[in-house]
Structure formats: C-alpha cells, structure tokens
Amino acid sequence: MNKVKHYRLEKGLTQADLAKLVGVSVYYISRIENNKRTLSTTLAARIAPHLGVSASDLLSYRYDYTNRSTRRCKLWNLKRLKIIPFF
C-alpha cells in the first residue's frame, strides 16, 4: 500500500478531503496513491502536516529491485531533501 494512502486512511480522511486540504485535484491524489505519479518533495511537504508525519516519511521507501525508474525518481527526491537512504 502506498504511504500516502496508508497515512490518509489512518487519519480517516477521504481522497477528496486530502485534495481540498492540499489544494490539488482528487484525481491527482488518486494517481499518487496508485503509483501513477511520483510524489514531489513540494507536495510531500504540503501533505505531511495533514497526515501527522514528516515529508521524509512519505518519501522514504523500501528498496525495490523490480522498478528501476521509480527507484531513480525516489532517490532523486531523497537527495533533494538531503536524506541519505539506507540500503
């Protein structure tokens, strides 16, 4: 399960609630939760306070050997936040 979806459900928010709080469309939140879009550091910073977590929590991930393009994008986001992933 995607981290945004996991934390959103823990908080009892719908996609519409989160989209309204953050100022994006429900479709955009859905695409992030279904891993069709990569969560940007900017949006992670806007979403995190509403979910009660840090942006780095949303951007961290488990190492995935199968999806290299997603891994590269997420590593790039982590580098922008100056977070060093542990493998």
Side-chain angles (χ1 to χ4, degrees):
M1 180 184 297
N2 179 284
K3 285 190 173 191
V4 173
K5 184 174 185 176
H6 173 78
Y7 290 127
R8 177 181 60 78
L9 292 174
E10 272 188 356
K11 283 288 188 177
L13 296 171
T14 64
Q15 287 181 342
D17 295 335
L18 184 58
K20 188 174 183 179
L21 289 169
V22 177
V24 297
S25 69
V26 175
Y27 178 73
Y28 197 79
I29 295 294
S30 174
R31 302 273 297 170
I32 289 170
E33 289 185 356
N34 291 304
N35 297 316
K36 304 286 185 195
R37 297 269 322 183
T38 302
L39 181 62
S40 69
T41 54
T42 305
L43 190 57
R46 288 171 38 200
I47 290 174
H50 299 292
L51 299 181
V53 297
S54 68
S56 61
D57 287 338
L58 293 177
L59 294 169
S60 65
Y61 68 101
R62 286 182 284 153
Y63 193 73
D64 182 4
Y65 291 97
T66 60
N67 193 340
R68 292 177 184 221
S69 64
T70 301
R71 185 173 70 236
R72 267 185 265 136
C73 290
K74 289 183 179 178
L75 277 173
W76 182 80
N77 282 336
L78 291 173
K79 286 178 184 175
R80 283 187 64 196
L81 288 175
K82 297 184 178 28
I83 299 169
I84 301 170
F86 296 97
F87 296 72

